[in-house]
Coordinates of all heavy atoms in Angstrom, one line a residue:
W9 N 105.6 71.2 58.9 CA 106.2 70.7 60.1 C 105.3 71.0 61.2 O 104.7 72.1 61.3 CB 107.6 71.1 60.2 CG 108.0 72.2 61.2 CD1 107.2 73.3 61.6 CD2 109.2 72.4 61.7 NE1 107.9 74.0 62.4 CE2 109.2 73.6 62.5 CE3 110.4 71.7 61.7 CZ2 110.2 74.0 63.3 CZ3 111.5 72.2 62.4 CH2 111.3 73.3 63.2
E10 N 105.1 70.1 62.2 CA 104.1 70.3 63.3 C 104.9 70.7 64.5 O 105.9 70.0 64.9 CB 103.4 69.0 63.5 CG 102.3 69.1 64.5 CD 101.2 70.0 64.2 OE1 100.9 70.2 63.0 OE2 100.6 70.6 65.1
T11 N 104.5 71.7 65.2 CA 105.1 72.2 66.4 C 104.5 71.5 67.6 O 103.2 71.5 67.6 CB 105.0 73.7 66.5 OG1 105.6 74.3 65.3 CG2 105.7 74.2 67.7
T12 N 105.2 71.1 68.6 CA 104.7 70.5 69.8 C 104.2 71.6 70.7 O 105.0 72.6 71.0 CB 105.8 69.7 70.5 OG1 106.3 68.7 69.7 CG2 105.2 69.1 71.8
R13 N 103.0 71.6 71.0 CA 102.3 72.6 71.9 C 101.9 72.0 73.2 O 100.8 71.5 73.3 CB 101.1 73.2 71.2 CG 101.5 74.0 69.9 CD 100.3 74.6 69.3 NE 100.6 75.2 68.0 CZ 101.0 76.5 67.9 NH1 101.3 77.2 69.0 NH2 101.3 77.0 66.7
K14 N 102.8 72.0 74.1 CA 102.5 71.5 75.5 C 101.7 72.4 76.2 O 102.0 73.6 76.3 CB 103.8 71.2 76.2 CG 104.7 70.2 75.7 CD 106.0 70.0 76.5 CE 106.8 69.0 75.9 NZ 108.1 68.7 76.7
G15 N 100.6 72.0 76.7 CA 99.7 72.8 77.5 C 98.8 73.7 76.7 O 98.2 74.6 77.2
A16 N 98.6 73.5 75.4 CA 97.7 74.3 74.6 C 96.3 73.8 74.8 O 96.0 72.7 74.6 CB 98.1 74.2 73.1
R17 N 95.4 74.7 75.3 CA 94.0 74.4 75.6 C 93.2 74.4 74.3 O 92.5 73.5 74.0 CB 93.5 75.3 76.7 CG 92.1 75.0 77.2 CD 91.7 75.8 78.4 NE 92.1 77.2 78.4 CZ 91.3 78.2 77.9 NH1 90.1 77.9 77.5 NH2 91.7 79.4 77.9
C18 N 93.3 75.6 73.6 CA 92.5 75.7 72.4 C 93.0 76.9 71.6 O 93.7 77.8 72.2 CB 91.0 76.0 72.8 SG 90.7 77.5 73.7
P19 N 92.7 77.0 70.3 CA 93.2 78.1 69.5 C 92.4 79.4 69.9 O 91.2 79.3 70.3 CB 92.9 77.7 68.1 CG 92.0 76.6 68.1 CD 92.1 76.0 69.5
V20 N 93.0 80.5 69.8 CA 92.3 81.8 70.1 C 91.9 82.3 68.7 O 92.8 82.7 67.9 CB 93.3 82.8 70.8 CG1 92.6 84.1 71.0 CG2 93.7 82.2 72.1
Q21 N 90.6 82.4 68.5 CA 90.1 82.8 67.2 C 90.5 84.2 66.8 O 90.4 85.1 67.6 CB 88.6 82.7 67.1 CG 88.1 81.2 67.4 CD 88.6 80.3 66.3 OE1 88.6 80.6 65.1 NE2 89.0 79.1 66.8
G22 N 91.0 84.3 65.6 CA 91.4 85.7 65.0 C 92.7 86.2 65.5 O 93.0 87.4 65.3
Q23 N 93.4 85.4 66.3 CA 94.7 85.9 66.8 C 95.9 85.1 66.2 O 95.9 83.9 66.3 CB 94.8 85.7 68.3 CG 93.8 86.6 69.1 CD 94.1 88.1 69.0 OE1 95.2 88.5 69.1 NE2 93.1 88.9 68.7
L24 N 96.8 85.8 65.6 CA 98.0 85.2 65.0 C 99.2 85.8 65.6 O 99.2 87.0 66.0 CB 98.0 85.5 63.5 CG 96.9 84.8 62.7 CD1 97.1 85.2 61.2 CD2 96.9 83.3 62.8
M25 N 100.3 85.0 65.8 CA 101.5 85.5 66.3 C 102.2 86.3 65.2 O 101.8 86.3 64.0 CB 102.4 84.3 66.7 CG 101.9 83.6 67.9 SD 103.0 82.4 68.7 CE 103.1 81.1 67.4
S26 N 103.3 87.0 65.5 CA 104.0 87.8 64.6 C 104.6 87.0 63.4 O 104.8 87.5 62.3 CB 105.1 88.7 65.3 OG 105.9 87.8 66.0
N27 N 104.8 85.7 63.7 CA 105.3 84.8 62.6 C 104.2 84.2 61.8 O 104.5 83.4 60.9 CB 106.3 83.8 63.2 CG 105.5 82.8 64.1 OD1 104.3 82.8 64.2 ND2 106.3 81.9 64.7
G28 N 103.0 84.5 62.1 CA 101.8 84.0 61.3 C 101.2 82.8 61.8 O 100.2 82.4 61.3
D29 N 101.8 82.2 62.9 CA 101.2 81.0 63.5 C 100.0 81.3 64.3 O 99.9 82.5 64.8 CB 102.2 80.3 64.4 CG 103.3 79.5 63.6 OD1 103.1 79.4 62.4 OD2 104.3 79.1 64.2
Q30 N 99.1 80.4 64.5 CA 97.9 80.5 65.3 C 98.3 80.7 66.8 O 99.2 80.0 67.3 CB 97.0 79.3 65.2 CG 95.8 79.3 66.1 CD 94.8 80.3 65.7 OE1 94.4 80.5 64.6 NE2 94.4 81.1 66.7
V31 N 97.7 81.6 67.5 CA 97.9 81.7 69.0 C 97.0 80.7 69.7 O 95.8 80.6 69.3 CB 97.6 83.1 69.5 CG1 97.6 83.2 71.0 CG2 98.5 84.1 68.9
F32 N 97.5 80.0 70.6 CA 96.7 79.0 71.4 C 96.7 79.5 72.9 O 97.6 80.0 73.4 CB 97.4 77.6 71.4 CG 97.1 76.9 70.1 CD1 97.9 77.2 69.0 CD2 96.2 76.0 70.0 CE1 97.7 76.6 67.8 CE2 95.9 75.3 68.8 CZ 96.7 75.6 67.7
A33 N 95.5 79.3 73.5 CA 95.3 79.7 74.9 C 95.9 78.5 75.7 O 95.7 77.4 75.4 CB 93.8 79.8 75.2
P34 N 96.7 78.9 76.7 CA 97.3 77.8 77.5 C 96.4 77.4 78.7 O 95.5 78.1 79.1 CB 98.6 78.5 78.1 CG 98.1 80.0 78.2 CD 97.2 80.2 77.0
Y35 N 96.7 76.3 79.2 CA 96.1 75.9 80.5 C 96.9 76.7 81.6 O 98.1 76.8 81.5 CB 96.3 74.4 80.8 CG 95.4 73.5 80.0 CD1 95.9 72.8 78.8 CD2 94.1 73.4 80.3 CE1 95.0 72.0 78.1 CE2 93.2 72.6 79.5 CZ 93.7 71.9 78.4 OH 92.9 71.1 77.7
L36 N 96.2 77.2 82.5 CA 96.8 78.0 83.6 C 96.6 77.3 84.9 O 95.5 76.7 85.1 CB 96.2 79.4 83.6 CG 96.3 80.3 82.4 CD1 95.6 81.6 82.5 CD2 97.8 80.5 82.0
Q37 N 97.5 77.5 85.8 CA 97.4 76.9 87.2 C 96.4 77.8 87.9 O 96.4 79.0 87.8 CB 98.7 76.9 87.9 CG 99.7 75.9 87.4 CD 100.9 75.9 88.2 OE1 101.2 76.8 89.1 NE2 101.7 74.9 88.0
R38 N 95.5 77.1 88.7 CA 94.6 77.9 89.6 C 95.4 78.4 90.7 O 96.3 77.8 91.3 CB 93.5 77.0 90.1 CG 92.6 76.5 89.0 CD 91.5 75.7 89.6 NE 90.6 75.3 88.6 CZ 89.5 74.6 88.8 NH1 89.2 74.2 90.0 NH2 88.7 74.3 87.8
P39 N 95.1 79.7 91.2 CA 95.7 80.2 92.3 C 95.3 79.4 93.6 O 94.2 78.9 93.7 CB 95.3 81.6 92.4 CG 94.0 81.7 91.6 CD 94.1 80.6 90.6
L40 N 96.2 79.4 94.5 CA 95.9 78.7 95.8 C 94.9 79.5 96.6 O 94.8 80.8 96.5 CB 97.2 78.6 96.7 CG 98.3 77.8 96.1 CD1 99.5 77.9 97.0 CD2 97.9 76.3 96.0
P41 N 93.9 78.8 97.2 CA 92.9 79.6 98.0 C 93.6 80.3 99.2 O 94.6 79.8 99.8 CB 92.0 78.5 98.5 CG 92.7 77.2 98.3 CD 93.8 77.4 97.3
L42 N 93.1 81.5 99.5 CA 93.7 82.3 100.6 C 92.6 82.5 101.6 O 91.4 82.6 101.4 CB 94.1 83.7 100.0 CG 95.1 83.7 98.9 CD1 95.3 85.2 98.4 CD2 96.4 83.1 99.4
T43 N 93.1 82.5 102.9 CA 92.2 82.8 104.0 C 91.8 84.2 104.0 O 92.5 85.1 103.4 CB 92.8 82.4 105.3 OG1 93.9 83.2 105.5 CG2 93.2 80.9 105.3
D44 N 90.7 84.6 104.7 CA 90.3 86.0 104.8 C 91.4 86.8 105.5 O 91.7 88.0 105.1 CB 89.0 86.1 105.6 CG 87.8 85.6 104.8 OD1 87.9 85.5 103.5 OD2 86.8 85.3 105.4
D45 N 92.1 86.2 106.4 CA 93.2 86.9 107.1 C 94.3 87.3 106.2 O 94.9 88.4 106.2 CB 93.8 86.1 108.2 CG 92.8 85.9 109.4 OD1 91.8 86.6 109.4 OD2 93.0 84.9 110.2
V46 N 94.7 86.4 105.3 CA 95.8 86.6 104.3 C 95.4 87.7 103.3 O 96.1 88.6 103.0 CB 96.2 85.3 103.6 CG1 97.2 85.6 102.5 CG2 96.8 84.3 104.6
V47 N 94.1 87.6 102.9 CA 93.6 88.6 101.9 C 93.7 90.0 102.6 O 94.1 91.0 102.0 CB 92.2 88.3 101.5 CG1 91.6 89.4 100.7 CG2 92.2 87.0 100.6
T48 N 93.2 90.1 103.8 CA 93.2 91.4 104.5 C 94.6 91.9 104.7 O 94.9 93.1 104.5 CB 92.5 91.2 105.9 OG1 91.1 90.8 105.7 CG2 92.5 92.5 106.7
Q49 N 95.5 91.0 105.1 CA 96.9 91.4 105.3 C 97.5 91.9 104.0 O 98.2 92.9 104.0 CB 97.7 90.2 105.8 CG 99.2 90.4 106.1 CD 99.9 89.2 106.5 OE1 99.5 88.1 106.2 NE2 101.0 89.4 107.2
R50 N 97.3 91.2 102.9 CA 97.8 91.7 101.6 C 97.3 93.0 101.2 O 98.0 93.9 100.7 CB 97.6 90.6 100.5 CG 98.5 89.5 100.7 CD 98.3 88.5 99.5 NE 99.3 87.4 99.6 CZ 99.4 86.4 98.7 NH1 98.6 86.5 97.7 NH2 100.2 85.5 98.9
R51 N 96.0 93.2 101.4 CA 95.4 94.5 101.1 C 96.0 95.7 101.9 O 96.3 96.7 101.4 CB 93.9 94.5 101.4 CG 93.1 93.8 100.3 CD 91.6 93.9 100.4 NE 90.9 93.2 99.4 CZ 89.8 92.5 99.6 NH1 89.2 92.6 100.8 NH2 89.3 91.9 98.6
K52 N 96.3 95.4 103.2 CA 96.9 96.4 104.0 C 98.3 96.7 103.6 O 98.8 97.8 103.6 CB 96.9 96.0 105.5 CG 95.5 96.1 106.1 CD 95.5 95.7 107.6 CE 94.1 95.8 108.1 NZ 94.1 95.4 109.5
L53 N 99.0 95.6 103.1 CA 100.4 95.8 102.7 C 100.5 96.7 101.5 O 101.4 97.5 101.3 CB 101.0 94.4 102.3 CG 101.6 93.7 103.5 CD1 102.0 92.3 103.0 CD2 102.8 94.4 104.1
I54 N 99.5 96.6 100.5 CA 99.7 97.3 99.3 C 98.8 98.6 99.2 O 98.8 99.3 98.3 CB 99.4 96.4 98.1 CG1 98.0 95.9 98.1 CG2 100.4 95.3 98.0 CD1 97.6 95.1 96.8
E55 N 98.0 98.8 100.3 CA 97.1 100.0 100.3 C 98.0 101.2 100.3 O 98.9 101.4 101.1 CB 96.2 99.9 101.6 CG 95.2 100.9 101.6 CD 94.3 100.7 102.9 OE1 94.7 101.3 103.9 OE2 93.3 100.0 102.7
I56 N 97.6 102.2 99.5 CA 98.3 103.4 99.4 C 97.4 104.6 99.8 O 96.3 104.7 99.3 CB 98.8 103.6 98.0 CG1 99.8 102.5 97.6 CG2 99.5 105.0 97.8 CD1 100.3 102.5 96.2
S57 N 97.8 105.4 100.7 CA 97.0 106.6 101.1 C 97.7 107.8 100.6 O 98.9 107.9 100.3 CB 96.8 106.6 102.6 OG 98.0 106.8 103.3
G58 N 97.0 108.9 100.6 CA 97.5 110.2 100.2 C 98.5 110.8 101.1 O 99.3 111.7 100.6
S59 N 98.6 110.3 102.3 CA 99.6 110.9 103.2 C 100.9 110.2 103.2 O 101.8 110.6 104.0 CB 99.0 110.9 104.7 OG 98.8 109.5 105.0
M60 N 101.1 109.3 102.3 CA 102.4 108.5 102.3 C 103.4 109.3 101.5 O 103.1 110.0 100.5 CB 102.2 107.1 101.7 CG 101.2 106.3 102.4 SD 101.0 104.7 101.5 CE 101.8 103.6 102.6
S61 N 104.7 109.1 101.9 CA 105.8 109.6 101.1 C 106.0 108.8 99.9 O 105.5 107.7 99.8 CB 107.1 109.6 102.0 OG 107.5 108.3 102.1
E62 N 106.8 109.4 99.0 CA 107.1 108.7 97.7 C 107.8 107.4 98.0 O 107.5 106.3 97.4 CB 107.9 109.6 96.8 CG 108.1 108.9 95.4 CD 108.9 109.8 94.5 OE1 109.0 111.0 94.7 OE2 109.4 109.3 93.5
K63 N 108.7 107.4 99.0 CA 109.5 106.2 99.3 C 108.5 105.1 99.8 O 108.7 103.9 99.5 CB 110.5 106.5 100.4 CG 111.4 105.4 100.8 CD 112.4 105.7 101.8 CE 113.1 104.5 102.3 NZ 114.1 104.7 103.3
E64 N 107.6 105.5 100.7 CA 106.6 104.5 101.2 C 105.8 103.9 100.1 O 105.5 102.7 100.1 CB 105.7 105.1 102.3 CG 106.4 105.5 103.5 CD 105.5 106.3 104.5 OE1 104.9 107.2 104.0 OE2 105.5 105.9 105.7
V65 N 105.3 104.7 99.1 CA 104.5 104.3 98.0 C 105.3 103.3 97.2 O 104.9 102.2 96.8 CB 104.1 105.4 97.1 CG1 103.4 104.9 95.8 CG2 103.1 106.3 97.9
L66 N 106.6 103.6 96.9 CA 107.5 102.7 96.1 C 107.7 101.4 96.8 O 107.7 100.3 96.2 CB 108.8 103.4 95.8 CG 108.7 104.6 94.8 CD1 110.1 105.2 94.7 CD2 108.2 104.1 93.5
E67 N 107.8 101.4 98.2 CA 108.0 100.2 98.9 C 106.8 99.3 98.9 O 106.8 98.1 98.7 CB 108.3 100.5 100.4 CG 109.7 101.1 100.6 CD 110.0 101.6 102.0 OE1 109.0 101.6 102.8 OE2 111.1 101.9 102.3
R68 N 105.6 99.9 98.9 CA 104.3 99.2 98.8 C 104.2 98.6 97.4 O 103.7 97.5 97.3 CB 103.1 100.1 99.2 CG 103.2 100.6 100.6 CD 102.4 99.8 101.5 NE 102.5 100.2 102.9 CZ 101.5 100.6 103.6 NH1 100.2 100.5 103.2 NH2 101.7 101.0 104.9
L69 N 104.6 99.3 96.4 CA 104.5 98.8 95.1 C 105.4 97.6 94.9 O 105.1 96.6 94.2 CB 104.8 99.9 94.0 CG 103.7 101.0 93.9 CD1 104.2 102.1 92.9 CD2 102.4 100.4 93.4
E70 N 106.6 97.7 95.5 CA 107.5 96.6 95.4 C 106.9 95.3 96.1 O 107.1 94.2 95.6 CB 108.9 96.9 96.1 CG 109.9 95.8 96.1 CD 110.3 95.3 94.7 OE1 110.3 96.1 93.8 OE2 110.5 94.1 94.6
V71 N 106.3 95.5 97.2 CA 105.6 94.4 97.9 C 104.5 93.8 97.0 O 104.4 92.6 96.8 CB 105.0 94.8 99.2 CG1 104.0 93.8 99.8 CG2 106.1 95.2 100.2
A72 N 103.7 94.7 96.3 CA 102.7 94.2 95.4 C 103.3 93.4 94.3 O 102.8 92.3 93.9 CB 101.9 95.4 94.9
H73 N 104.4 93.9 93.7 CA 105.1 93.1 92.7 C 105.6 91.8 93.1 O 105.4 90.8 92.4 CB 106.3 93.9 92.1 CG 105.9 95.2 91.4 ND1 106.8 96.2 91.1 CD2 104.7 95.6 90.9 CE1 106.1 97.1 90.5 NE2 104.9 96.8 90.3
R74 N 106.1 91.7 94.3 CA 106.6 90.4 94.9 C 105.5 89.4 95.1 O 105.6 88.2 94.9 CB 107.4 90.6 96.2 CG 108.8 91.0 95.9 CD 109.6 91.0 97.2 NE 109.6 92.3 97.8 CZ 109.3 92.6 99.0 NH1 109.0 91.6 99.9 NH2 109.2 93.8 99.5
I75 N 104.3 89.9 95.5 CA 103.2 89.1 95.7 C 102.7 88.5 94.4 O 102.3 87.4 94.3 CB 102.0 89.8 96.4 CG1 102.5 90.1 97.9 CG2 100.7 89.1 96.4 CD1 101.5 91.0 98.6
Q76 N 102.6 89.3 93.3 CA 102.1 89.0 92.0 C 103.0 88.2 91.1 O 102.6 87.6 90.2 CB 101.5 90.2 91.3 CG 100.4 90.8 92.1 CD 99.9 92.2 91.5 OE1 100.5 92.7 90.6 NE2 98.9 92.7 92.1
R77 N 104.3 88.4 91.4 CA 105.4 87.8 90.4 C 105.2 86.3 90.2 O 105.3 85.9 89.0 CB 106.7 88.2 91.0 CG 107.8 87.8 90.0 CD 109.2 88.3 90.6 NE 109.2 89.7 90.7 CZ 109.8 90.3 91.7 NH1 110.4 89.7 92.7 NH2 109.8 91.7 91.7
P78 N 105.0 85.5 91.2 CA 104.9 84.0 90.9 C 103.8 83.7 89.9 O 103.9 82.8 89.0 CB 104.7 83.4 92.2 CG 105.3 84.4 93.2 CD 105.0 85.7 92.6
K79 N 102.6 84.3 90.1 CA 101.5 84.0 89.2 C 101.8 84.5 87.8 O 101.5 83.8 86.8 CB 100.2 84.7 89.8 CG 99.0 84.6 88.9 CD 98.5 83.2 88.9 CE 97.1 83.2 88.2 NZ 97.0 82.1 87.2
L80 N 102.3 85.7 87.7 CA 102.6 86.2 86.3 C 103.7 85.3 85.7 O 103.5 85.0 84.5 CB 103.2 87.6 86.5 CG 103.6 88.3 85.1 CD1 102.4 88.4 84.2 CD2 104.2 89.7 85.4
W81 N 104.7 84.9 86.4 CA 105.7 84.0 85.9 C 105.1 82.7 85.4 O 105.4 82.2 84.3 CB 106.8 83.8 86.9 CG 108.0 83.0 86.4 CD1 108.2 81.7 86.3 CD2 109.2 83.6 85.9 NE1 109.4 81.4 85.8 CE2 110.1 82.6 85.6 CE3 109.6 84.9 85.8 CZ2 111.3 82.8 85.1 CZ3 110.9 85.2 85.3 CH2 111.7 84.1 84.9
S82 N 104.2 82.1 86.2 CA 103.6 80.9 85.8 C 102.7 81.1 84.5 O 102.8 80.3 83.6 CB 102.7 80.4 86.9 OG 101.9 79.3 86.5
D83 N 101.9 82.2 84.5 CA 101.1 82.4 83.3 C 101.9 82.6 82.0 O 101.6 82.1 80.9 CB 100.2 83.6 83.5 CG 99.1 83.4 84.5 OD1 98.9 82.2 85.0 OD2 98.4 84.3 84.9
M84 N 103.0 83.4 82.2 CA 103.9 83.6 81.0 C 104.6 82.3 80.5 O 104.7 82.0 79.3 CB 105.0 84.6 81.4 CG 104.4 86.0 81.5 SD 105.6 87.2 82.1 CE 106.9 87.2 80.9
S85 N 105.0 81.5 81.5 CA 105.6 80.2 81.1 C 104.6 79.3 80.4 O 104.9 78.6 79.4 CB 106.1 79.5 82.3 OG 107.1 80.2 82.9
S86 N 103.3 79.3 80.8 CA 102.3 78.5 80.2 C 102.0 79.0 78.8 O 101.9 78.2 77.9 CB 101.0 78.6 81.0 OG 101.1 78.1 82.3
F87 N 102.0 80.3 78.6 CA 101.8 80.9 77.3 C 102.9 80.5 76.3 O 102.7 80.1 75.2 CB 101.7 82.4 77.3 CG 101.4 83.0 76.0 CD1 100.2 83.1 75.4 CD2 102.5 83.5 75.2 CE1 99.9 83.7 74.2 CE2 102.3 84.1 73.9 CZ 101.0 84.1 73.4
K88 N 104.2 80.6 76.8 CA 105.3 80.2 76.0 C 105.3 78.7 75.6 O 105.7 78.3 74.5 CB 106.6 80.6 76.7 CG 106.8 82.1 76.7 CD 108.1 82.6 77.4 CE 109.0 81.7 78.0 NZ 110.2 82.3 78.7
A89 N 104.8 77.8 76.6 CA 104.8 76.4 76.3 C 103.7 76.1 75.2 O 103.9 75.3 74.4 CB 104.5 75.6 77.6
A90 N 102.6 76.8 75.3 CA 101.5 76.6 74.3 C 101.8 77.3 73.0 O 101.1 76.9 72.0 CB 100.2 77.2 74.9
N91 N 102.7 78.2 73.0 CA 103.0 79.0 71.7 C 104.5 79.1 71.5 O 105.1 80.2 71.6 CB 102.3 80.4 71.8 CG 100.9 80.3 71.9 OD1 100.2 80.1 71.0 ND2 100.3 80.6 73.2
P92 N 105.1 77.9 71.2 CA 106.6 78.0 70.9 C 106.9 79.0 69.8 O 106.1 79.0 68.8 CB 106.9 76.6 70.5 CG 105.7 75.7 70.7 CD 104.6 76.6 70.9
G93 N 107.9 79.7 69.9 CA 108.3 80.7 68.9 C 107.6 82.0 69.1 O 107.8 82.9 68.3
A94 N 106.8 82.2 70.1 CA 106.1 83.5 70.3 C 107.1 84.5 70.8 O 108.1 84.2 71.5 CB 105.0 83.3 71.4
T95 N 106.9 85.7 70.5 CA 107.8 86.8 70.9 C 107.0 87.7 71.9 O 105.8 87.5 72.1 CB 108.2 87.7 69.7 OG1 107.0 88.3 69.2 CG2 108.9 86.9 68.7
L96 N 107.7 88.6 72.5 CA 107.1 89.5 73.6 C 105.9 90.2 73.0 O 104.9 90.4 73.7 CB 108.1 90.4 74.1 CG 107.7 91.3 75.3 CD1 107.2 90.4 76.5 CD2 108.8 92.2 75.7
S97 N 105.9 90.6 71.7 CA 104.8 91.4 71.2 C 103.6 90.5 71.0 O 102.5 91.0 70.8 CB 105.2 92.0 69.8 OG 105.5 91.0 68.9
D98 N 103.7 89.2 71.0 CA 102.6 88.3 70.8 C 101.8 88.2 72.1 O 100.6 88.0 72.2 CB 103.0 86.9 70.4 CG 103.7 86.9 69.0 OD1 103.3 87.7 68.2 OD2 104.6 86.1 68.9

């Protein structure tokens, strides 16, 4: 039986999923271009210095997670579309 692999770019040589199927590399969305101002602003938001309290460090890490979450979500969705039946360990 043939599995529909939406968004599969090419097979990944030597990589098999836990069910024995071939792993395929997905097409990924390109990130949006950022201005220098936005890049600088994001760096300052997530920059951690030695004089920060634990609470401040955790707040900055939460900001970093919120910034990176959409890209990670998109990449994971692309992988799942290219590799139906994949598990988290794949």
Side-chain angles (χ1 to χ4, degrees):
W9 103 333
E10 186 63 30
T11 303
T12 302
R13 296 182 184 275
K14 294 180 179 181
R17 186 168 44 91
C18 63
V20 177
Q21 298 301 319
Q23 295 292 317
L24 297 177
M25 293 190 289
S26 57
N27 65 5
D29 287 348
Q30 174 69 49
V31 172
F32 284 80
Y35 286 102
L36 301 176
Q37 290 185 347
R38 291 183 179 182
L40 296 174
L42 302 174
T43 64
D44 289 340
D45 293 344
V46 171
V47 171
T48 301
Q49 181 184 24
R50 285 186 178 183
R51 282 189 184 144
K52 286 180 182 179
L53 275 174
I54 62 173
E55 189 176 87
I56 297 173
S57 68
S59 62
M60 297 178 114
S61 70
E62 183 177 345
K63 181 181 177 185
E64 289 173 313
V65 170
L66 291 175
E67 287 171 355
R68 298 264 175 124
L69 288 174
E70 178 59 33
V71 169
H73 291 164
R74 276 189 270 130
I75 289 171
Q76 295 171 357
R77 189 176 295 140
K79 175 69 172 133
L80 178 61
W81 189 273
S82 174
D83 289 353
M84 289 173 60
S85 296
S86 296
F87 181 84
K88 290 181 356 183
N91 299 284
T95 62
L96 185 59
S97 63
D98 296 326

